[in-house]
Structure formats: structure tokens, C-alpha cells
Amino acid sequence: MNVIAGNSRAFSESKFSQVASYRYKVFIETLGWELQTKYGEELDQFDRPDTVYVVSQDDQDQVNGCARLLPTSRPYLLGDIFPQLLNGMPLPCSDEVWELSRFAAVDFNSPTATSALSQFSSEIAVTLLRESIACAAAHGAKRLITVSPVGIERLLRRAGFHCHRAGPPMIIDGHPIFACWIEVEPQQR
């Protein structure tokens, strides 16, 4: 497995298109999210030139995981779309708090891939999460906030990440999701 990180300019046009197509396959085709898309690619208003991506690839350079990182000092998913997940707490707005979103670790090319839900316990998911936290830390993050399906909580705890809920889970568009704090440990900074 190979992990690459950077903003959209750090990726070739074809690699960035592969990431957007991968997200479409995970979030639209597999999980059934109802999002605005075009050309079989999943991108939204938070996929900006300053957005940082962490992408894992298999030995054939096929995307098998992705994550999106945004500083909360600029518009971000939780702040603009899901503020209710913070249960009335103020929205983070700091260069030291980054949002982790569009996290996926489904290896569609693996013969053992069973479902999108199995991603929460895969080696790819744990490695991608570690790399995402390290990448955010390299950009000055001391904490991450994420909007996630409830299953990500198990991955975080099993893998030894220091995390806690920012509010109770809610059912939104038929999916149980919650906001979760992930602390960036000093060795990751």
C-alpha cells in the first residue's frame, strides 16, 4: 500500500479524477448517499484548491482509500451542513482544528472485500487514518473533528486513537452519524 497526500494540485489530473470516481463508487453507489454529482465523480463545495487529500493506493496504483482534510478556519462540512451534530456547542473555527471528512477505505479490487461497512476494521482504514492524522498535524492541527457513521467510533477505539463524541448520534437521511473529536497526540505533530 502506498499513501500520498497533498492538495489537488499535488495530484495528476487523472489521479484526482480517480479519487473523485472512487468517492462516487463508495458514497453514492455503495452507501447510497444522495449527493449532487456529475460525470460519475463525487466532489462538493469543500473540494477547493486548499483542501488536503490523503489517498491510499494498492500495488497497481488503484485508489483503495481516501480522506479529506480542511481547516475549520474556512468553510467545512460539519460547520456548513451538519452543525446540529455538535448539540449546541460552538462550531470549531481555528487553524489548530481540522475536519476529517469523506473518509473511505474500501478496496474494491481485493477478492476479500465484502462491504463498505467492513472498511471500519481494515488495515487500510487504520493506516489511512494514521496517515491522515499525521498529515493534519504537519499542517498545524492539534485536534480533528469529523462527521462520521457511528461505525468509525469502533475503528478509532480499536486502533488506539484518543477520540470522543462531540454530541449524540443523529439519524440524518436514514443514516446514523455523529461528530467526533480526534486528539492529535504530541508525537503526531
Side-chain angles (χ1 to χ4, degrees):
M1 181 171 65
N2 177 38
V3 178
I4 53 177
N7 61 28
S8 59
R9 293 179 296 258
F11 295 88
S12 69
E13 188 175 316
S14 66
K15 183 54 69 179
F16 191 72
S17 179
Q18 191 181 36
V19 171
S21 295
Y22 174 82
R23 284 174 37 177
Y24 183 90
K25 190 168 185 174
V26 171
F27 298 114
I28 306 301
E29 292 181 353
T30 306
L31 295 176
W33 291 9
E34 293 183 23
L35 303 170
Q36 295 290 328
T37 63
K38 57 183 176 181
Y39 314 119
E41 295 184 341
E42 193 280 309
L43 296 170
D44 64 19
Q45 68 267 35
F46 306 107
D47 293 297
R48 310 178 300 249
D50 66 318
T51 301
V52 177
Y53 302 91
V54 183
V55 178
S56 64
Q57 304 173 106
D58 63 20
D59 294 337
Q60 289 76 43
D61 291 331
Q62 296 300 306
V63 173
N64 61 11
C66 67
R68 177 173 69 185
L69 296 167
L70 296 160
T72 61
S73 57
R74 305 261 336 258
Y76 61 103
L77 184 69
L78 175 68
D80 287 12
I81 310 296
F82 298 111
Q84 69 272 29
L85 292 175
L86 289 178
N87 201 30
M89 289 181 11
L91 290 168
C93 182
S94 168
D95 288 333
E96 293 183 345
V97 178
W98 282 54
E99 179 185 65
L100 171 65
S101 59
R102 292 304 196 265
F103 182 87
V106 180
D107 188 352
F108 292 107
N109 297 316
S110 170
T112 60
T114 55
S115 75
L117 298 178
S118 67
Q119 73 173 318
F120 299 131
S121 60
S122 76
E123 179 182 330
I124 295 168
V126 173
T127 299
L128 183 62
L129 192 51
R130 282 193 178 112
E131 293 290 331
S132 297
I133 293 169
C135 182
H139 284 84
K142 294 184 178 166
R143 297 178 94 188
L144 296 178
I145 188 83
T146 182
V147 173
S148 299
V150 175
I152 199 77
E153 192 173 33
R154 287 187 301 277
L155 165 68
L156 291 167
R157 291 214 168 102
R158 279 190 200 141
F161 295 103
H162 182 224
C163 66
H164 56 95
R165 292 179 177 186
M170 296 182 159
I171 304 294
I172 298 180
D173 293 331
H175 303 282
I177 61 174
F178 76 118
C180 181
W181 289 106
I182 303 171
E183 303 301 328
V184 176
E185 302 299 326
Q187 68 271 18
Q188 294 170 314
R189 291 187 205 149

